[in-house]
Amino acid sequence: MRALVTGGSGFIGSHVVDKLAEAGHTPVILDVAESPWHPDVETRIADLTDAAAVREAVDGCNAIFHLAAMADVNQVVDAPARTDAVNVHGTFNLLEAARTVGVERFLYASTIWVYGNAPGLEPHDEDTPLVLPPHLYTATKLAGEMYCRSYETMYGVPTTILRFGIPYGPRARPAAVVPAFIAKAQAGTPLTIAGDGSATRQFVYVEDLAEGMVAGLAPAAAGRIYNLVGDELVSVRQIADTVRELVAEVPIEHGPDRPVDLKFGQASSERAAAELGWRAETSFAEGVRRYVDWLAVTNGSPVSSAAVSTAGSAAAV
């Protein structure tokens, strides 16, 4: 199967490219830049807001893994119009191209942020009633989910929605919480946490996440929604303590609580386990250790990473 991976040059997408190739599929990257991780993989350069370019890029592909998005929260806050153009209208352009070409599956990367402030008992499953989101990022991802459902119902485009926990691991953006804490610890800088650090999140190690995405190609996954998330609830204080244990025992500083922090609760991955045979196998502490090891060997360099991978080192994960 030829599978187009939007955002395939980036953090999660590059790992999906790896897992697709391991599963015997032919990945094709769609991104605004060449991949530093996969220079030999066919890459189609296009902006999701360019409908004609998107239509051309989709041609010849059997499946679409749609990961490209404005995902950095700070960028979303600073550029709401661009966020809407990419996350909402870019998704529409892809779905329209999928309808025109007749792709066999459209897999959409959403987020467990959609459960923010959701009522009812925890853990939240995929049938949990959702509330209108206060954050623009979540609103755009929910808009994408609704477009997926509409295109499936009205036009017969087979879609699968995958709601991610917070991804971390090799190739992560430096601004994400785990890389940022590690960089500060390596520099001997105090780690700053909001409030008492008791707020919790559910993470998912990026290689586990990529495997879950590829598992979403299963015939039974058409028309379904799955939470791809680790079972652990990890507090901000635990993140800091894990980094201090693995990198350096730098001080912790407490800042004010974030004024508009969401109540997330816990999301369940039982449906993915039952229907896809998928669970996040990597504990949070083990995933952070692997990321630290990867940084030590590669210094985050794609060239070094490729060399280590070729040598078969366990640190190149």
Side-chain angles (χ1 to χ4, degrees):
M1 175 177 287
R2 287 175 62 80
L4 188 73
V5 183
T6 75
S9 298
F11 170 36
I12 305 172
S14 66
H15 287 279
V16 173
V17 168
D18 288 340
K19 297 301 180 182
L20 282 167
E22 289 175 15
H25 302 294
T26 301
V28 179
I29 295 171
L30 169 60
D31 214 313
V32 294
E34 297 284 345
S35 172
W37 315 106
H38 299 102
D40 298 327
V41 172
E42 180 183 352
T43 301
R44 302 174 178 182
I45 303 298
D47 192 303
L48 291 182
T49 62
D50 185 336
V54 168
R55 168 63 181 81
E56 184 177 352
V58 169
D59 193 46
C61 294
N62 311 103
I64 297 173
F65 286 75
H66 179 28
L67 295 109
M70 295 279 286
D72 184 298
V73 174
N74 292 325
Q75 291 180 359
V76 169
V77 172
D78 292 341
R82 175 65 178 169
T83 299
D84 172 78
V86 173
N87 292 11
V88 180
H89 295 282
T91 299
F92 166 78
N93 287 339
L94 274 166
L95 283 163
E96 180 64 8
R99 177 181 75 88
T100 304
V101 171
V103 299
E104 299 172 25
R105 185 70 62 80
F106 187 99
L107 298 99
Y108 176 69
S110 187
T111 173
I112 62 167
W113 277 43
V114 300
Y115 300 118
N117 298 333
L121 298 175
E122 298 176 13
H124 300 306
D125 64 20
E126 294 81 353
D127 295 322
T128 294
L130 306 180
V131 299
L132 293 176
H135 201 288
L136 178 63
Y137 171 71
T138 313
T140 64
K141 299 308 287 186
L142 271 177
E145 288 196 15
M146 290 188 284
Y147 276 136
C148 285
R149 182 54 52 88
S150 297
Y151 263 76
E152 182 165 69
T153 302
M154 297 178 65
Y155 303 115
V157 177
T159 65
T160 300
I161 295 167
L162 303 161
R163 293 172 176 166
F164 294 175
I166 299 175
Y168 71 106
R171 308 175 190 164
R173 291 180 293 107
V177 60
V178 172
F181 272 21
I182 289 172
K184 285 186 174 183
Q186 289 173 332
T189 305
L191 307 182
T192 302
I193 61 179
D196 62 4
S198 62
T200 59
R201 296 291 185 266
Q202 279 179 278
F203 288 83
V204 57
Y205 187 66
V206 68
E207 286 199 270
D208 292 343
L209 178 57
E211 289 176 353
M213 281 216 79
V214 176
L217 282 172
R224 301 290 280 166
I225 301 173
Y226 298 98
N227 296 329
L228 299 183
V229 65
D231 293 331
E232 295 174 90
L233 282 176
V234 181
S235 71
V236 177
R237 178 62 194 235
Q238 284 177 275
I239 301 170
D241 287 342
T242 301
V243 169
R244 293 173 72 243
E245 179 179 345
L246 292 170
V247 181
E249 291 191 12
V250 294
I252 291 178
E253 296 178 348
H254 294 268
D257 286 315
R258 290 195 284 185
V260 193
D261 207 9
L262 291 176
K263 178 185 180 296
F264 281 89
Q266 184 174 13
S268 169
S269 61
E270 288 304 312
R271 178 182 290 180
E275 298 183 10
L276 305 180
W278 179 89
R279 282 193 186 277
E281 300 292 342
T282 308
S283 70
F284 178 73
E286 172 62 16
V288 175
R289 185 195 64 76
R290 292 185 191 180
Y291 177 61
V292 171
D293 289 348
W294 177 81
L295 283 176
V297 174
T298 70
N299 197 30
S301 164
V303 175
S304 299
S305 181
V308 171
S309 178
T310 301
S313 168
V317 294

